[in-house]
Each structure stands twice: as structure tokens, then as C-alpha cells.
């Protein structure tokens, strides 16, 4: 007997990816329902070799369904997640709404799978921010060995992290720079994104950091260790899919780069591609469509006593969103629900 699964937000980038990954990983589902807003009622979406017609989330009866994967943004989640949870359906939410609620687990299965057990308090599990998810997969095995004191991270985040509008704006602006009369002013982003980088993701906060940077700090502490100090600079770059991060780590004790490389090679969810030669590293183009978080450029930082640098790349629509949500569902099934 398999699970009855709901995917809410099935017409969006992340929702479609959730359906793809459920099929690819052969999640033991007896039934999968695609939900969307009323304007998308009847829209067809792919689920493996099947085609599903979207149902209207408004008024949908979640009773009898086991798991709902939500990719509908915080406002809609605030309205519909409690309804699903009250009906006995466990919500795995991709928005930021519940990530910082102490009664709701924030889970990356390679890092803190045991946290899933806490779903019973509210019948909701939170999926972390895309930039955090890939980073903590790399941090956890190193932290277990040498205990990380401080993280300094600079991100290079693709436009797909801001949804279809971000992808369209990069495409349209790039074309507009070459085709007279098709120039496009910034709309989704605060400045031109084509052939540019923008050190601004989400809103500014009082201390000068952005909300995206704050998320990386708060989520890393909740998922890995509250004692870790984190400082982040988050940057939007003209890449369609795939987030990259330059990460500097300071440990409590010395960790040799060769040992770190071996630890990461053995760690779940990670692929190490680290050759000190032309092309001996991974870039966003190569990570698209892959499940793994790729680690390259592992090297000692000689400017601090116990320091390492590394380069981290992952498909933000997968590990940063849809894949992690499906992995949470798999972990929930094995640890708690025990069906399928």
C-alpha cells in the first residue's frame, strides 16, 4: 500500500520539478494529485509518463491524503497548510513561512533526518532556503570531524531562484541588448541582470544585510549547530539554473585539505570534482538536472589557523527545493509513516 500525495503549486518551476522527481525516484505513491490556483484549473502537468490535470486548491479536501508538497509561496501556504495539516495530511512546505518556528522541523535529510520525527507537533515540516540546503550538506560531515566555528559564504545565485519572472527577465534583457527596439528595463530585479551581478536578494534589514543573507545564518544554526557563526553575502548572477557558493570555514581544530576531501567524497549527497587543472571543477551548467551537491576547489586557508576554502554548486530547483522536499517525504515515510 503506497502513499496518497498532493503537489500544491504544480504549474510552477518547483512544483513541476517535484512531480518529475517523485516519478524519477519512484516514490511509492498510489495516487498523486496536482493542485494549483483557480486560474490554472485544468492545466496539464507531467508526472512520469502520465499527464495530470490540475485541480483547484481552494476547497480541496485533503482528508485521506498522506503527504502534501507545497510550492505556493508564503501567503497561500499560510492559508492552506493548516487546512491540510488539520485534515491529517503532513505538509512539506517549500516557502519560508515555517522555517523559523521552533515547533516545526527544518530538515535536510543528509544532515538532520532525525528532526523529521518532530512533525507531529503541527503536522508540518519546513524545507530550507535553496542557498542554505546545498551549503549544509557540505558543512555537516566536516563539522562532525573538526567542529566548525565560523562560516563566511558568498553566493552566486541563479535567476530561477526568483521564479519564472526572473528567468524571463534575464532572457528578455539579454535579447534586448542585441536586438534594437527589444530593450527591457529591470522589473523583477532592482538592476539590469543581463551581463551583470546584483548583490541584493530579498529585502534589506536594519543591520544592512538582506533577508536572504539572514536566512542562511538562521537556518544553518537551526539545521547544523546553533553555535556556528555565519556571515553571508548573497548575489544574483546571470545564470538560469544552479547556485554556486564560495565557502570559507574556520574550525576548532586543524583539518587537512586531503582529509576533508576524503570526508566529503564519502558523505551522502555530495560529489567531489576537484582536480587542480583546467576544467577540474564544477560550474552551474554541469549541475543542472543532477541530484548531487558538487564540491570543488578544496584548499587550505593559510590566513587563519584552522581554515579551509571550498566551492559548492547545486541545481537550486532540485536540491535547493524540489529534491529536498521529496527526500523529506522519503525520510518521513521510512522513519514515521511506514507505508509503501
Amino acid at each position: 500500500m503506497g502513499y496518497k500525495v498532493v503537489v500544491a503549486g504544480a504549474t510552477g518551476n518547483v512544483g513541476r520539478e517535484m512531480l518529475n522527481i517523485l516519478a524519477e525516484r519512484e516514490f511509492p505513491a498510489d495516487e498523486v494529485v496536482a493542485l494549483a490556483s483557480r486560474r490554472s484549473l485544468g492545466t496539464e502537468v507531467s508526472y512520469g509518463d502520465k499527464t495530470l490535470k490540475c485541480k483547484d486548491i481552494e476547497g480541496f479536501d485533503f482528508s485521506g491524503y498522506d503527504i502534501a508538497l507545497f510550492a505556493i509561496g508564503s501567503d497561500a501556504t499560510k492559508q492552506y497548510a493548516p487546512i491540510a495539516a488539520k485534515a491529517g495530511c503532513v505538509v512539506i512546505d517549500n516557502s519560508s513561512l515555517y522555517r523559523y518556528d521552533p515547533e516545526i522541523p527544518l530538515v535536510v535529510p543528509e544532515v538532520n533526518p532525525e528532526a523529521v520525527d518532530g512533525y507531529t507537533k503541527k503536522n508540518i515540516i519546513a524545507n530550507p532556503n535553496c542557498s542554505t540546503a546545498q551549503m549544509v550538506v557540505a558543512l555537516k560531515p566536516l563539522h562532525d570531524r573538526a567542529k566548525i566555528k565560523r562560516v563566511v559564504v558568498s553566493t552566486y545565485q541563479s535567476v530561477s531562484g526568483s521564479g519564472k519572472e526572473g528567468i524571463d527577465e534575464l532572457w528578455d534583457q539579454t535579447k534586448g541588448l542585441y536586438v534594437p527596439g527589444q530593450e527591457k528595463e529591470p522589473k523583477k530585479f532592482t538592476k539590469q541582470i543581463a551581463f551583470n551581478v546584483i548583490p541584493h536578494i530579498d529585502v534589506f534589514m536594519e543591520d544592512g544585510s538582506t533577508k536572504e543573507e539572514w536566512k542562511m545564518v538562521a537556518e544553518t544554526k537551526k539545521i547544523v549547530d546553533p553555535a556556528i557563526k555565519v556571515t553571508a553575502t548573497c548575489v544574483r548572477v546571470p545564470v538560469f539554473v544552479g547556485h554556486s557558493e564560495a565557502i570559507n570555514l574556520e574550525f576548532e581544530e586543524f583539518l587537512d585539505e586531503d582529509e576533508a576531501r576524503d570526508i566529503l567524497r564519502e558523505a551522502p549527497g555530495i560529489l567531489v570534482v576537484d582536480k587542480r587543472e583546467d576544467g577540474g571543477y564544477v560550474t552551474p551548467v554541469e549541475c543542472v538536472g543532477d541530484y548531487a551537491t558538487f564540491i570543488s576547489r578544496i584548499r587550505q586557508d593559510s590566513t587563519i589557523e584552522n581554515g579551509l576554502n571550498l566551492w559548492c554548486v547545486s541545481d537550486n530547483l532540485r536540491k535547493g527545493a524540489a529534491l529536498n522536499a521529496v527526500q523529506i517525504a522519503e525520510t518521513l515515510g521510512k522513519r514515521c509513516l511506514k507505508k509503501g
Side-chain angles (χ1 to χ4, degrees):
M1 185 178 177
Y3 296 95
K4 295 179 72 176
V5 179
V6 173
V7 175
T11 59
N13 290 338
V14 174
R16 289 177 187 271
E17 203 67 11
M18 286 173 170
L19 289 167
N20 290 337
I21 293 169
L22 285 168
E24 286 174 16
R25 293 174 72 91
E26 297 181 342
F27 186 83
D30 285 347
E31 181 184 351
V32 175
V33 175
L35 298 184
S37 61
R38 183 162 293 173
R39 67 178 179 273
S40 297
L41 181 66
T43 299
E44 294 187 343
V45 291
S46 297
Y47 168 61
D49 56 3
K50 299 177 183 177
T51 300
L52 306 178
K53 285 191 174 182
C54 287
K55 297 183 178 181
D56 185 0
I57 191 170
E58 189 175 339
F60 181 79
D61 185 1
F62 289 90
S63 303
Y65 289 89
D66 301 295
I67 298 170
L69 305 179
F70 271 48
I72 55 176
S74 294
D75 290 342
T77 296
K78 189 174 184 178
Q79 180 178 355
Y80 296 110
I83 295 171
K86 189 176 180 181
C89 181
V90 183
V91 174
I92 300 171
D93 176 38
N94 193 60
S95 80
S96 62
L97 182 64
Y98 295 114
R99 290 175 188 159
Y100 317 107
D101 186 326
E103 293 192 329
I104 291 178
L106 179 65
V107 179
V108 176
E110 296 94 334
V111 178
N112 61 338
E114 70 288 344
V116 161
D117 301 348
Y119 84 94
T120 53
K121 291 180 180 177
K122 292 192 176 179
N123 239 23
I124 298 171
I125 301 171
N127 208 22
N129 188 39
C130 49
S131 51
T132 306
Q134 69 187 67
M135 184 173 76
V136 297
V137 169
L139 297 190
K140 182 59 163 61
L142 300 177
H143 184 63
D144 287 346
R145 162 62 182 81
K147 198 161 187 184
I148 298 168
K149 290 171 58 178
R150 183 171 184 254
V151 179
V152 181
V153 57
S154 297
T155 71
Y156 307 76
Q157 295 178 227
S158 65
V159 294
S160 57
S162 61
K164 184 178 181 297
E165 298 95 337
I167 293 174
D168 290 344
E169 188 155 311
L170 173 58
W171 175 251
D172 291 340
Q173 278 187 357
T174 303
K175 283 192 303 178
L177 288 170
Y178 287 99
V179 182
Q182 291 192 20
E183 297 85 355
K184 294 286 183 179
E185 290 297 314
K187 187 176 179 183
K188 180 65 179 178
F189 302 113
T190 54
K191 295 198 176 190
Q192 174 184 311
I193 185 62
F195 303 101
N196 198 17
V197 298
I198 305 172
H200 176 192
I201 301 176
D202 212 321
V203 297
F204 275 99
M205 304 181 74
E206 284 187 13
D207 66 353
S209 62
T210 64
K211 188 79 177 287
E212 185 81 359
E213 292 157 357
W214 176 85
K215 289 174 188 174
M216 293 193 75
V217 175
E219 292 172 20
T220 301
K221 287 176 176 288
K222 184 172 179 178
I223 296 167
V224 182
D225 187 338
I228 294 178
K229 295 179 179 179
V230 182
T231 181
T233 301
C234 294
V235 182
R236 190 73 72 190
V237 297
V239 170
F240 285 110
V241 178
H243 287 358
S244 306
E245 297 170 348
I247 305 172
N248 176 265
L249 302 172
E250 183 181 357
F251 298 89
E252 288 195 356
E253 59 184 276
F254 181 76
L255 178 60
D256 178 76
E257 63 185 43
D258 292 326
E259 184 182 354
R261 198 173 286 109
D262 290 340
I263 290 169
L264 291 168
R265 282 199 177 106
E266 297 298 318
I270 290 175
L271 276 177
V272 174
V273 179
D274 189 22
K275 297 179 181 179
R276 294 177 177 179
E277 60 186 42
D278 292 353
Y281 42 81
V282 174
T283 62
V285 169
E286 290 113 53
C287 81
V288 175
D290 207 297
Y291 289 151
T293 294
F294 292 89
I295 306 296
S296 307
R297 303 292 318 281
I298 303 165
R299 62 205 188 277
Q300 229 77 48
D301 177 3
S302 60
T303 67
I304 51 176
E305 192 171 346
N306 302 315
L308 279 178
N309 288 302
L310 54 86
W311 175 251
C312 176
V313 180
S314 192
D315 182 330
N316 57 293
L317 297 179
R318 292 209 150 201
K319 186 55 192 169
L323 171 62
N324 199 72
V326 173
Q327 287 176 308
I328 291 172
E330 292 169 346
T331 305
L332 177 70
K334 288 172 186 172
R335 290 182 65 96
C336 306
L337 304 184
K338 300 186 185 301
K339 290 171 70 174

